[in-house]
Every structure is written in C-alpha cells, then in structure tokens.
Amino acid sequence: MNKEKKIMNSEKPNYGYTAIKYFIGISIVGLIGLIVVMFTFFIEDPLKSIIFMLIFPIAITGLYIGALYIPLYHSILRTNPIKDVWKHILKDFRGDEQVLDIGCGTGRVSINIAKHLVSGNVVGIDIYSGVSGSSPDTAYYNAEIEGVRDKVEFKYGNVLDIPFPDNAFDLVTAGSVLHEIHDDKEKLIVLNEIHRVLKPGGKFVSIEILRDVRLYLALLYFAFVWKTKNFWETLLSKSNFKKWQSETHTQFLNLGIFIGQK
Ligand SMILES: C[S@@+](CC[C@H](N)C(=O)[O-])C[C@H]1O[C@@H](n2cnc3c(N)ncnc32)[C@H](O)[C@@H]1O
C-alpha cells in the first residue's frame, strides 16, 4: 500500500509530524536500560561493571531525550493550543476576509483560519521544502477532511517574492515560518513583501517559537534557528510595518505572537 493510500484510509488530517513516536521509543529503551542497570546490583563483578558501563549511558541518554524532547515536541506540535492562539487572534473577524498563509506546509494554519471564515478564502503558499509530507495534495486532503475544501487554495510560492499584487489581503499569517528564512536581510525582505500584499489596515500575524535555554539543553539544532522575542521586535521595527505589537503565549515553550498592521 503506498503512502498516499495509507493517508486516505486513516480519515484523519495528516499534518506531517510523526517523530514523536521515535522519541517515545527511545525513552522506553532508556527505561528498560535503567531497570536492567538496577538488576546489576544483584550480580557480581566483572559482569556487573561491564553491564553497568554498557547500559547505563544508553539508559540515561534515552531518559534524557524523553524528558526533554517529548514535552517539547508535544508542546510545539499538538494542534489544540495553537488553534487557541489563532482563535484569540480571529475573534474580531467578519468572516469575509481574504487571507494569505505563507509557508502553509500541510495546511494546518490555513485550515484553522478557514474554519472561521464564512465567505472569505485562504490562499496558502509554500516552497514545500520543510515539513515531511508537505505538498499541495496533502494540504488539500487535510482541508477536505476538516470540511473547508471550498475555502482554501494551496499553491507553490516563495515568500521572498510573494506572487500576488499589492493590497490584496486582509490578513497574512505565518505559522512558524519566518525562522526558516535563515538570512536576516532576507527576513526583512519577507516582512516588506508581506506589508506590500496587505490591504491598508490589513494585519500580519506571525507565530514563532522563542529561543530559550532548554533548547540548548536539548542539544536541539533549533536552539540556533529560533530567535528571541527581542530579535523579532527589532526586525519588525526595521520593516515597513509602523504599527505592530507582540505577545508571549506559554505552552511549555514560549510562543511569540507578532501582529503587524499596515
Ligand atoms: C515549520 S513549517 C510550518 C508549516 C505550517 N505553517 C504549520 O504551521 O504547520 C515551515 C514552512 O515554511 C516553508 N518555507 C520555508 N521557506 C519558505 C519560502 N522561502 N517560501 C515559502 N515557504 C517557505 C517550508 O517549506 C515549511 O512548509
């Protein structure tokens, strides 16, 4: 059975985040290792020392990964708290907005927003490089399952050169996307592109996981890619957005919510 058929049979949206099961597996190995190490107290040397030296590092590594990565992964990727963030942002919506979701991936943000629209539409653009399984097909499949297929459109598009005219959208959203533009000058280009495609008075909302010491402890590559709140605020102040605000929403990790207005 190919991957696409498996997805179709599951009847659940596929937002492409599956690594949690590997972290759980590694933690279980760590736990079993720890139990084995405890049993070495009942046996004699040299077997005791050999088992201890071999198994103890594995047990500690497994448990360390479990203790740090599982809550971290769960916190980032569990959809409900993120849904709550968007709900909070969308509370003043009329329902007829034209929305652009940049870096839409598997459509998670686009679909959440589409659920709040009545006659409005969401267009999602992506270069489809990041999230595993991300493609317009997967995003359309998710939209179908979530009942918003008629309100969304997904297509290829680079945020560095947004393929839409000036003043086209009431809202532009970016769910954990801006950090993927690694060059800071390019990040500024993206902010100004977003500003360009917004209608006067239109809003831009970006959600970014904020860097903190736990990410370094977890030896996570993202510790270097995710930025501090101060970084994003400085970048916004250099952009064409003259009105903007920021909030922090904590759900194990700190999520920075940045709202700009044209
Ligand atoms: C962490 S994922 C977030 C996906 C989605 N917004 C979500 O919340 O599930 C970041 C997305 O940004 C996309 N991306 C990265 N650079 C991009 C670019 N220059 N233009 C458009 N999309 C880009 C990646 O392909 C990826 O799908």
Side-chain angles (χ1 to χ4, degrees):
M1 190 188 281
N2 65 29
K3 192 178 164 201
E4 205 169 322
K5 274 192 188 149
K6 261 190 211 163
I7 292 170
M8 294 305 288
N9 288 340
S10 71
E11 284 299 322
K12 280 186 192 151
N14 167 29
Y15 290 113
Y17 302 116
T18 52
I20 188 86
K21 63 181 181 227
Y22 300 112
F23 294 136
I24 291 173
I26 291 168
S27 314
I28 291 171
V29 169
L31 197 62
I32 293 169
L34 197 67
I35 293 167
V36 171
V37 165
M38 282 160 72
F39 273 104
T40 61
F41 291 120
F42 302 105
I43 55 176
E44 298 296 323
D45 267 337
L47 196 59
K48 178 180 181 157
S49 305
I50 292 169
I51 293 179
F52 188 86
M53 280 190 314
L54 284 178
I55 309 270
F56 191 65
I58 296 173
I60 291 299
T61 308
L63 292 173
Y64 180 78
I65 288 174
L68 276 162
Y69 280 65
I70 292 175
L72 195 143
Y73 218 84
H74 189 62
S75 140
I76 301 165
L77 302 175
R78 226 169 45 140
T79 50
N80 283 344
I82 292 179
K83 265 187 201 158
D84 290 345
V85 171
W86 293 110
K87 210 187 282 174
H88 157 72
I89 288 159
L90 292 170
K91 67 182 187 312
D92 300 327
F93 252 44
R94 302 179 306 267
D96 63 351
E97 284 80 359
Q98 296 303 314
V99 182
L100 172 67
D101 181 31
I102 60 166
C104 61
T106 50
R108 183 170 56 152
V109 172
S110 319
I111 289 167
N112 272 322
I113 288 174
K115 286 180 180 173
H116 292 79
L117 295 172
V118 183
S119 57
N121 288 294
V122 183
V123 183
I125 59 165
D126 202 295
I127 52 169
Y128 299 106
S129 66
V131 182
S132 56
S134 135
S135 72
D137 287 349
T138 313
Y140 278 126
Y141 168 74
N142 290 336
E144 188 81 51
I145 299 234
E146 302 265 28
V148 292
R149 174 64 189 85
D150 56 332
K151 294 194 184 124
V152 293
E153 186 189 342
F154 298 108
K155 54 200 254 182
Y156 179 92
N158 194 326
V159 291
L160 283 160
D161 185 14
I162 297 178
F164 291 101
D166 301 357
N167 308 321
F169 295 98
D170 300 285
L171 173 69
V172 176
T173 53
S176 197
V177 176
L178 292 187
H179 70 268
E180 298 229 350
I181 311 298
H182 296 293
D183 184 292
D184 292 350
K185 286 196 194 99
E186 290 193 343
K187 285 189 181 83
L188 198 56
I189 292 173
V190 172
L191 284 182
N192 291 338
E193 270 294 275
I194 293 165
H195 187 273
R196 177 183 70 73
V197 298
L198 274 174
K199 294 178 186 172
K203 281 187 180 165
F204 163 54
V205 181
S206 170
I207 297 190
E208 283 292 330
I209 296 160
L210 301 176
R211 174 187 288 181
D212 73 37
V213 72
R214 288 168 298 176
L215 303 176
Y216 292 108
L217 280 175
L219 306 177
L220 202 69
Y221 152 78
F222 283 112
F224 303 96
V225 176
W226 288 329
K227 304 289 183 188
T228 61
K229 193 175 184 198
N230 188 39
F231 172 91
W232 294 116
E233 289 176 341
T234 306
L235 198 75
L236 270 164
S237 65
K238 288 184 191 160
S239 76
N240 291 341
F241 283 99
K242 296 301 161 225
K243 282 192 221 163
W244 57 265
Q245 64 187 80
S246 60
E247 298 171 19
T248 307
H249 181 99
T250 301
Q251 52 178 66
F252 182 69
L253 287 180
N254 296 318
L255 292 181
I257 304 168
F258 303 91
I259 305 175
Q261 188 165 17
K262 183 163 175 179

